[in-house]
């Protein structure tokens, strides 16, 4: 039997032996840059890069240095990515925190899809250069600050559909400070598709594992006598049945019940080109979906009727113990003696106290619990001048994002755990024998979810499957942006002003009156920005910039203001430079002042441990990189960044000196974050290209005031740094290998994670392989296949201490086969 490394070597060898002749061409930092579309112009290979080796895009004039990767439409079509996460996971330093299922849970960081760049989750998501987060959002609640996480507040895969995407820019670190003083991790900029001169369309159909189906159609072109009107329209539907996964504890395959999902999208973009310098863009984006809500992946070790009975009884009424045992150790229900009278102990919740506890969440999935989202976005941009590649424009945008979830389950037939304990004690005031306890549990607690007939009857007896939601959230924001760009000698100057009004609504159904009640939190943002890209020489750019931002206080529709909040504002700066030492060696260096305000829903505004108001996050981020072309086909690049936060926020179990209790509380802290990437790009010949990379990141936290951390969180002698760094792999190696010959294209992506801590992961290392093949039967018709997790690896990308290791196991091996027809 071949091991996983042998798989990788065999496939690599198979690709390499099919190579062709050598023709001089520059090694590509980004894949598939032979030709690609820039606005309505097709760019040839010799014009895809600027003088610093950076890939040119419609918005690349914002960049001021940094490590940049661009995923083009050509790559998306050849690799058949179905979502953004799938597309950008090949980028070195980019990692995802996924719960193991599709949709995530609104408002809880550990149950949502998140992204980090070089270990920093302060990542800004953009569409055509515009931020898509909501300043008043409650998307991430108090749990959001746990363990130093600074989530984007945006589910990347819910932003827009892949048919609508022309390019994806990934910028590591604050190398484009125009996007905000809080983009310390980096920026993900999604550039949308614009219709060209020729009328054309495509239909994409695919099917595969777990009843996965993909349907997509788009049509684009131009209109008018002078062909100055351009349009692009697309629609898609993606769906799947219940996900399967590889269980680390039993080395067996499991099914994540209730994880099926269906998501739809429609996009429309209309452009009017008045001349070479003036343009009007009207863009509409609709995306909605209903995703299953299983919360956590069951541990198959405990997925049997015997263990289920122990777990649910201990979680609902408490552990059963023998009164003659002074330790009060909970006993297994199946082992209870028929003649002995047993007593009821305390409830045991969480995997630490009750191993296999998170298996109970399989009830949620079987009840049909779900999360839903619906996005409607509008963007109108009038560009009134273009100069030296820069745009001057005025923009109006409007976003309405609707989210809800319905989590239904019932462990006890007649109500919740309090009622169950009360009823048990009433039935057995002096204790119960083993036979009595077993019968009571059988009659009153939810049956093992593997018994489908008993489970179906239980669901019917307890009110049926999950119905309409009793609450939902809505995030609305709109704003206006004015940008003016001008070339003055060697200076390219950009001045920008943005005004944004954001509201976060909560709508709840009153149980007593049956009426819907609504409230909202409102916040206004004012931003002003100016940068000057100074072309000191043909090979040296220096870019200073200044930004002023003011956030209004959170205005609550019920109380007027959120307690403890107030206006906040800051001046920040950035200084970046790029320099080419010669035709083969270039470097960049930058420093940025970081400012991130306390956000509604992200953090509490009062430090409950020390009764001191939290302060906005502030710090300084440095980024440095150098690349060397060893030959026209080989490039080595190194990226390093260092962030020092004088005021960072972490949500931790802290000893309150007044009460003597550990309380989960947000605290200001000092944080030093470092990351390192090295990437080798090599083109073996006209057919085979390789990108190999290594990434490493490390945090060091230090409290500004002394604290003691709760021992139940497993920190080594109270050292937060041990826990923070163990929540992700220590090392990440990536290999991206592709082969193209005529109409055949195939690619292999390998992600190898090592140095995984026993604290958070079920294995010290794991290797995940993804493979695809694409073949053009004719110029208008191709067929393809995609295989994810080729070796059916058991792995996780996130950890939850409450649910235990392995509770966020990622999907196992799956395949998709499809065809795409252009007309």
């Amino acid at each position: 039997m071949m091991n996983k490394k042998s798989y990788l070597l065999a496939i690599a060898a198979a690709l390499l032996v099919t190579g062709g002749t050598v023709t001089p061409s520059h090694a590509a930092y980004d894949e598939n840059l032979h030709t690609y579309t820039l606005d309505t112009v097709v760019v040839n290979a010799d014009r895809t890069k600027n003088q610093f080796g950076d890939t040119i895009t419609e918005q690349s004039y914002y960049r001021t240095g940094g490590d940049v990767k661009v995923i083009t439409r050509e790559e998306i079509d050849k690799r058949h990515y179905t979502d953004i996460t799938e597309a950008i996971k090949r980028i070195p330093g980019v990692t995802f925190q996924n719960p193991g299922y599709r949709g995530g849970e609104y408002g809880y960081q550990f149950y949502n899809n998140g992204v980090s760049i070089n270990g920093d989750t302060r990542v800004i998501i953009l569409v055509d250069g515009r931020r898509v987060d909501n300043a008043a959002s409650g998307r991430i609640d108090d749990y959001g600050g746990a363990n130093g996480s600074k989530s984007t507040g945006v589910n990347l895969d819910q932003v827009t559909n892949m048919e609508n995407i022309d390019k994806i820019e990934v910028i590591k670190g604050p190398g484009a400070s125009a996007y905000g003083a809080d983009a310390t991790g980096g920026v993900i900029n999604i550039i949308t598709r614009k219709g060209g001169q020729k009328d054309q369309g495509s239909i994409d159909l695919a099917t595969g594992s777990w009843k996965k189906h993909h349907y997509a159609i788009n049509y684009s072109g131009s209109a008018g006598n002078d062909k100055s009107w351009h349009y692009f329209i697309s629609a898609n539907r993606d769906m799947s049945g219940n996900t399967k996964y590889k269980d680390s504890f039993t080395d067996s395959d499991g099914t994540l019940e209730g994880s099926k999902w269906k998501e739809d999208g429609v996009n429309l973009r209309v452009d009017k080109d008045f001349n070479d310098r003036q343009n009007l863009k009207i863009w509409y984006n609709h995306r909605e979906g209903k995703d299953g809500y299983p919360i956590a992946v069951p541990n198959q070790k405990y997925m049997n009727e015997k263990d289920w009975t122990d777990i649910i009884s201990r979680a609902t009424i408490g552990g059963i113990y023998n009164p003659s045992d002074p330790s009060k150790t909970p006993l297994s229900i199946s082992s209870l003696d028929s003649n002995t009278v047993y007593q009821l102990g305390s409830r045991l919740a969480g995997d630490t106290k009750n191993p296999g506890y998170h298996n109970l969440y399989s009830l949620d999935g079987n009840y049909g619990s779900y999360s839903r989202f619906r996005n409607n976005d509008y963007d109108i941009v009038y560009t009134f001048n273009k100069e030296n590649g820069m745009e001057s424009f005025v923009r109006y945008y409007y976003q309405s994002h609707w989210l809800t979830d319905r989590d239904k389950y019932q462990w006890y037939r007649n109500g919740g755990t309090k009622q169950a304990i009360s009823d048990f004690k009433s039935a057995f005031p002096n204790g119960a024998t083993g036979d009595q306890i077993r019968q009571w549990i059988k009659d009153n607690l939810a049956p093992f979810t593997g018994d489908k007939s008993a489970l179906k009857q239980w669901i019917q007896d307890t009110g049926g499957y999950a119905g309409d939601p009793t609450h939902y959230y809505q995030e609305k924001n709109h704003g206006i942006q004015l940008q003016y760009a001008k070339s003055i000698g060697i200076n390219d100057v950009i001045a920008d002003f943005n005004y944004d009004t954001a509201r976060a609504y909560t709508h709840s159904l009153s149980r007593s009156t049956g009426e819907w009640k609504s409230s909202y939190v409102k916040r206004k943002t004012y931003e002003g920005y100016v940068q000057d890209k100074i072309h000191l020489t043909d090979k040296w750019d220096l870019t200073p910039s200044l930004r002023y931002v003011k956030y209004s206080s959170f205005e609550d529709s019920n109380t007027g203001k959120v307690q403890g909040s107030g206006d906040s504002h800051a001046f920040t700066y950035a200084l970046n430079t790029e320099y080419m030492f010669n035709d083969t060696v270039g470097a960049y260096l930058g420093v940025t002042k970081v400012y991130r305000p306390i956000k509604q829903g992200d953090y509490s505004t009062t430090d409950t441990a020390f009764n001191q108001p939290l302060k906005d996050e502030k710090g300084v981020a440095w980024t440095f990189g150098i690349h060397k072309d060893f030959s026209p086909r080989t490039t080595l690049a190194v990226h390093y960044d260092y962030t020092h936060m004088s005021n960072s926020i972490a949500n931790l179990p802290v000893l309150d000196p007044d009460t003597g209790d550990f309380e989960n509380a947000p605290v200001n802290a000092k944080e030093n974050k470092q990351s390192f990437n090295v990437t080798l790009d090599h083109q073996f010949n006209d057919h085979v290209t390789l990108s190999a990379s290594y990434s490493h990141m490390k945090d060091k936290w230090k409290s500004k005031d002394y604290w003691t951390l709760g021992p139940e969180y497993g920190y080594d002698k109270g050292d937060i740094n041990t826990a923070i760094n163990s929540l992700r792999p220590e090392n990440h190696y990536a290999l991206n290998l592709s082969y193209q010959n005529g109409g055949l294209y195939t690619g292999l992506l390998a992600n190898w994670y090592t140095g995984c801590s026993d604290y958070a992961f079920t294995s010290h290392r794991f290797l995940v392989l993804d493979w695809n093949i694409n073949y053009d039967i004719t110029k208008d018709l191709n067929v393809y296949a995609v295989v994810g997790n080729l070796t059916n690896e058991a792995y996780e990308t996130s950890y939850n201490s409450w649910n235990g290791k392995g509770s966020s196991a990622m999907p196992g091996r799956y395949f998709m086969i499809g065809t795409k027809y252009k007309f």
Side-chain angles (χ1 to χ4, degrees), residues 11 30 181 200 219 260 301 312 365 367 372 395 445 490 494 514 546 582 605 631 663 667 714 729 747 756 777 793:
I11 295 173
D30 304 311
Q200 59 185 4
Y219 192 74
K260 62 182 181 180
K301 177 181 177 181
I312 194 169
Y367 267 94
R372 277 182 178 168
R395 158 185 269 150
L445 299 188
I490 64 172
I494 301 174
L546 289 173
N582 53 51
T605 55
S631 75
E663 297 186 26
V667 290
C756 303
I777 298 176
E793 178 82 337

Side-chain angles (χ1 to χ4, degrees), residues 490 533-543 577-578:
I490 64 172
K533 185 177 289 188
I534 308 169
H535 306 292
L536 297 172
T537 70
D538 290 342
K539 296 185 177 182
W540 186 12
D541 280 358
L542 180 67
T543 310
T577 188
E578 289 186 279

Side-chain angles (χ1 to χ4, degrees), residues 135 182 522-528 547-555 561 564-572 595-600 603 605 614-618 649:
D182 53 344
K522 176 182 177 182
R523 191 172 213 189
K524 297 179 181 179
T525 305
Y526 308 83
E527 290 185 277
R547 169 182 290 275
Y548 173 75
V549 60
K550 178 182 178 181
Y551 297 90
S552 72
S553 60
F554 295 105
E555 300 178 17
K561 288 188 177 181
S565 70
D567 292 354
S568 60
H569 62 92
F571 277 101
T572 59
Y595 174 74
R596 178 184 172 93
I598 298 172
K599 293 190 175 183
Q600 168 67 15
Y603 316 109
T605 55
L614 288 176
K615 297 179 180 179
D616 296 328
E617 294 191 303
K618 296 180 181 179
I649 300 175

Side-chain angles (χ1 to χ4, degrees), residues 209-229:
S209 305
W210 319 326
K211 300 181 180 179
K212 290 171 71 76
H213 303 293
H214 169 71
Y215 313 96
I217 184 170
N218 71 69
Y219 192 74
S220 65
S222 60
N225 294 332
D226 57 356
K227 299 292 186 179
S228 62
W229 287 93

Side-chain angles (χ1 to χ4, degrees), residues 397 478-481 497-501 522 524-527:
Y397 60 89
H478 64 94
I480 188 167
Q481 180 183 4
F497 172 77
N498 189 82
Y499 167 76
D500 180 274
T501 299
K522 176 182 177 182
K524 297 179 181 179
T525 305
Y526 308 83
E527 290 185 277

Side-chain angles (χ1 to χ4, degrees), residues 707-765:
W707 67 41
T708 301
L709 300 178
E712 71 276 14
Y713 279 69
Y715 298 129
D716 182 19
K717 298 180 180 179
D719 183 6
I720 181 177
N721 300 298
T722 301
I724 292 290
N725 293 302
S726 67
L727 294 177
R728 58 175 176 244
E730 184 176 353
N731 307 296
H732 176 203
Y733 303 85
L735 183 146
N736 185 32
L737 188 64
S738 62
Y739 170 77
Q740 182 169 0
N741 192 350
L744 175 66
Y745 176 87
T746 184
L748 173 72
L749 174 64
N751 283 293
W752 190 31
Y753 301 89
T754 68
C756 303
S757 171
D758 288 336
Y759 174 80
F761 296 97
T762 57
S763 176
H764 290 290
R765 60 185 64 87

